[in-house]
Every structure is written in C-alpha cells, then in structure tokens.
C-alpha cells in the first residue's frame, strides 16, 4: 500500500498540516519537528505527488538555474551549493547551459514550470535573454549584474579585483601586460577589465593588450598561443577567470616557455583546481559557496514574499599568491 501524508503524520505524531508545512515551507517548522517528519517520510518511503503540491500551493517546488560553460569548475562549485540549499528547502533544481539550452530555459520560465530562477549567464548582447526578465518570476542574478532594471544580485567586487591585480603587477615592475577577457558583453568580464585598466592608469602604466578568450579553455589556449608566436612573452597574463588561465598555462608550456620564469599568469575565481601543485595559480579569490548560499536565500525569500525589495550584494575579494607569480609578496 502506498503511504500517504496521513500515515506520515501519524508516524511522526504531528498533524497533516505540519507535514504539509515541512514539505512546502520547511523554514516555518522547528528543526526538531522537521527532523521527526523527515525521519517518518524516509522510514515509510513516502513520496509527495508533485502535481498535487503544485495545485495546492501554486508552486512547482522546482528552481531553474541558467549558467554558461558548465565545464567551468567555478559553475560546478556554484551549482553544488545551490543544489544543497534548495534541496534542504524541499525544491529540486533544473540547470540550463545558456549556450545550448537558452530557448528551453526561456520557454520553461514563460510556462511557469519553475518557481524562480538563478541566472549566472546574463549577456548584455543576447536579446533572447531579456525574455527571462519579462516573465515576472522571482529572479536572482549570481556572479552577474544587469545594468537596467531592479533585480536581486550577488557578485564579488569585480572592479576591485581588477585593481588589486594592477597594483600587484606594478609593485613587481610588470609593464607589458595582456588581459584575456571572457564574453565582452558579460558584466564580470567588463568590470574586471575596467578595474584593471583603471588601476593601471592611476599608476601611470599603459593599458593592457586585450584578447578574447570567450570564457573558454580552448579559446584562451588558442589566442595565447597565437600571441606568443607573434609577439613573444609579455610580462604577465591576467585572465578574467581561472578556467581561461588554465588554457594560458598550457599554451605557454606548448610554446616552449615556462611560468613564472618567462611570464606570470594570474586568474580570477580561486576554483579548487587552482591550488593544485601542477597549476599553482595566483588568482583573485571570490567565495563561490557564499555567493551561491546568499543567492539561493534571496530567491527563496522572493518566492515566499514577492514584495521583498531587490538588493545588490557585493562580496569582497582577495589575492591568493602562488607559484605562477613566483610567490612574490603583495604589499597593500
């Protein structure tokens, strides 16, 4: 016999209404009661009917997440934390890679197949993406900002991170610099480049050469290899994310050069792999897990109360110095 919510309530010694709150609004129930109900659910093998839940609550208990380049370790870290937070809140997660499933994501949002959406792939140049903002669904931008409109967002101090790297390279006499940007329409890439350029200008240094890495390992490898073949090694490469920096490290090696002896390489994100000895990448650290936790909570708050005011949250960054810049110290 298939267990029902009444069976769960009897086993846990609570009312059916309490079981419903644990399933739909777990934050409204004490931890002790919540654990007792969850234990009963697990013991009985109870599975709530998603269609019935949606009819009663007008919610699907599903969250959409739009990312770009899922192969990028940074987004893997983000998605892992988002999944943990939403799972604890009783929701499942659907993820779309904007490069492959952009239209699927927009259609799902327009059809209200999800309760809200986390966007980590906002591209100012993509007209279709604007459709997501017009659905009226609860929405949070993660590691992205939108220049127009009032939306909840959580980012790191991208501009400040770019300036940090400018100051660091200046302290160590690095003058011939190359910036590997991601998507030139993405706010993260634009802000990091702007901070880097502003910092260099304030120090009386010339602007860096800018190459398009498209947030891709393969593309950053290709443009770096072409640059090295044509111009030789600059003093340093600064990449808009670690994933591209890994491509640069490989391109330098393929060109018969060495890091850091011939050229320094600096990334941005501090993904888990960046500290591996074989990479040993100096990088700007942003806390992906805190970013994801804050973004998820913002979205849950919006779903619970659509009148919640939008707030732009900017998290601090710091420079993690490693072997790709000779472990050279940074005097702030």
């Amino acid at each position: 016999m298939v267990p029902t919510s009444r069976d769960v309530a009897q086993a846990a010694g609570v009312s059916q209404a309490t079981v419903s709150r644990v399933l739909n609004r777990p934050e409204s129930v004490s931890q002790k009661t919540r654990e007792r109900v969850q234990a009963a659910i697990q013991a009985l093998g109870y599975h709530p009917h998603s269609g019935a839940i949606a009819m009663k609550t007008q919610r699907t208990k599903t969250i959409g997440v739009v990312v770009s380049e899922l192969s990028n370790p940074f987004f893997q870290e983000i998605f892992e934390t988002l999944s943990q937070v939403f799972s604890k809140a009783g929701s499942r997660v659907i993820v779309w890679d904007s490069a492959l499933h952009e239209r699927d994501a927009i259609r799902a949002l327009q059809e209200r197949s999800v309760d809200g959406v986390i966007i980590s792939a906002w591209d100012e140049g993509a007209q279709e993406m604007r459709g997501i903002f017009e659905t009226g669904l609860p929405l949070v931008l993660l590691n992205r900002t939108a220049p127009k409109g009032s939306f909840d967002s959580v980012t790191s101090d991208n501009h400040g991170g770019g300036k940090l790297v400018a100051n660091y390279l200046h302290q160590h006499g690095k003058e011939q610099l190359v910036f590997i940007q991601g998507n030139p329409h993405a706010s993260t890439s634009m802000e990091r480049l702007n901070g880097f350029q502003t910092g260099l200008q304030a120090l009386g240094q010339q602007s860096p050469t800018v190459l398009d890495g498209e947030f891709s390992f393969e593309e950053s490898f290709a443009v770096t290899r072409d640059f090295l073949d044509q111009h030789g090694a600059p003093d340093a490469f600064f990449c808009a994310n670690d994933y591209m920096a890994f491509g640069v490290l490989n391109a330098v090696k393929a060109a018969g050069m060495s890091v850091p002896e011939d050229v320094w390489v600096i990334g941005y994100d501090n993904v888990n792999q960046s500290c591996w000895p074989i990479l040993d990448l100096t990088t700007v650290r942003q806390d992906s897990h805190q970013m994801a936790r804050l973004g998820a909570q913002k979205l849950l708050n919006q779903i619970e109360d659509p009148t919640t005011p939008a707030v732009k949250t900017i998290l601090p960054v710091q420079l993690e110095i490693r072997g790709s810049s000779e472990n050279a110290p940074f005097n702030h």
Side-chain angles (χ1 to χ4, degrees), residues 187-202:
S187 61
T188 46
S189 189
M190 290 189 289
E191 291 167 2
R192 291 166 194 175
L193 173 58
N194 183 263
F196 191 44
Q197 290 174 323
T198 301
L200 291 173
Q201 185 178 21

Side-chain angles (χ1 to χ4, degrees), residues 137-150:
L137 275 172
L139 179 154
V140 174
L141 288 159
L142 207 62
N143 199 42
R144 291 289 190 273
T145 56
K148 296 179 181 178
S150 179

Side-chain angles (χ1 to χ4, degrees), residues 2-69:
V2 178
T4 66
S5 62
R6 179 175 295 176
D7 297 326
V8 173
Q10 290 177 347
V14 299
S15 67
Q16 277 186 273
T18 298
V19 173
S20 178
R21 286 200 301 275
V22 169
L23 293 171
N24 298 303
R25 292 189 296 115
E27 70 282 354
S28 68
V29 182
S30 71
Q31 182 176 349
K32 184 177 180 180
T33 300
R34 194 164 62 236
E35 289 174 351
R36 196 161 72 245
V37 172
Q38 292 289 2
I41 288 173
Q42 186 172 2
L44 293 171
Y46 173 68
H47 297 285
H49 190 281
S50 59
I53 293 174
M55 289 178 65
K56 290 181 180 179
T57 66
Q58 294 186 328
R59 295 179 186 171
T60 65
K61 305 302 290 181
T62 303
I63 303 296
V65 178
V66 181
V67 301
S68 62
E69 289 287 345

Side-chain angles (χ1 to χ4, degrees), residues 105-137:
I106 294 172
R107 187 182 306 112
L109 298 175
Q110 290 172 336
E111 293 173 355
R112 302 278 172 157
S113 299
V114 296
D115 297 327
V117 61
I118 296 280
I119 297 181
S120 291
W122 170 244
D123 176 351
E124 258 301 286
Q127 294 299 318
E128 287 188 341
M129 286 290 288
R130 297 179 184 277
I132 294 178
F133 292 87
E134 296 168 0
T135 62
L137 275 172

Side-chain angles (χ1 to χ4, degrees), residues 12 50 90 199 213-214 246 294 304:
S50 59
E214 299 180 10
F246 298 159
L294 289 173
E304 189 65 31

Side-chain angles (χ1 to χ4, degrees), residues 141-329:
L141 288 159
L142 207 62
N143 199 42
R144 291 289 190 273
T145 56
K148 296 179 181 178
S150 179
F151 301 101
D152 261 321
S153 64
V154 186
T155 67
S156 72
D157 184 3
N158 294 305
H159 189 274
K163 289 184 70 175
L164 268 180
V165 176
N167 288 323
Y168 179 60
L169 293 174
H170 176 75
Q171 279 186 18
H172 293 283
K174 305 300 181 181
E175 297 181 350
Q176 296 180 11
L177 308 176
V178 175
F179 181 81
I180 309 289
Q181 67 178 352
N183 183 329
H185 300 294
S187 61
T188 46
S189 189
M190 290 189 289
E191 291 167 2
R192 291 166 194 175
L193 173 58
N194 183 263
F196 191 44
Q197 290 174 323
T198 301
L200 291 173
Q201 185 178 21
L203 295 165
Q205 287 194 214
Q206 63 182 14
S207 291
T209 299
V210 179
L211 303 178
D212 293 327
E214 299 180 10
F215 286 135
S216 159
F217 175 95
E218 294 79 8
E219 191 62 26
S220 61
F221 177 96
V223 297
T224 301
R225 186 63 196 272
D226 287 345
F227 182 89
L228 293 172
D229 289 344
Q230 294 177 31
H231 306 285
D235 289 334
F237 287 101
F238 173 35
C239 306
N241 72 8
D242 287 348
Y243 195 42
M244 292 191 296
F246 298 159
V248 172
L249 289 170
N250 279 267
V252 171
K253 183 177 180 180
M257 301 176 186
S258 298
V259 175
E261 291 81 3
D262 297 313
V263 58
W264 285 13
V265 178
I266 298 176
Y268 196 112
D269 282 338
N270 194 43
V271 298
N272 291 332
Q273 293 88 335
S274 64
C275 66
W276 290 0
I278 197 170
L279 298 170
D280 205 17
L281 179 68
T282 293
T283 183
V284 179
R285 178 185 182 273
Q286 60 173 350
D287 192 333
S288 61
H289 298 295
Q290 183 185 16
M291 186 181 293
R293 283 192 296 268
L294 289 173
Q297 192 56 58
K298 282 175 178 279
L299 188 62
L300 292 172
N301 291 344
Q302 278 192 44
I303 292 170
E304 189 65 31
D305 180 6
T307 65
T308 302
V311 176
K312 181 178 180 179
T313 301
I314 300 176
L315 302 176
V317 297
Q318 66 184 51
L319 193 61
E320 293 286 344
I321 298 170
R322 300 191 179 104
S324 68
S325 64
E326 298 184 279
N327 289 300

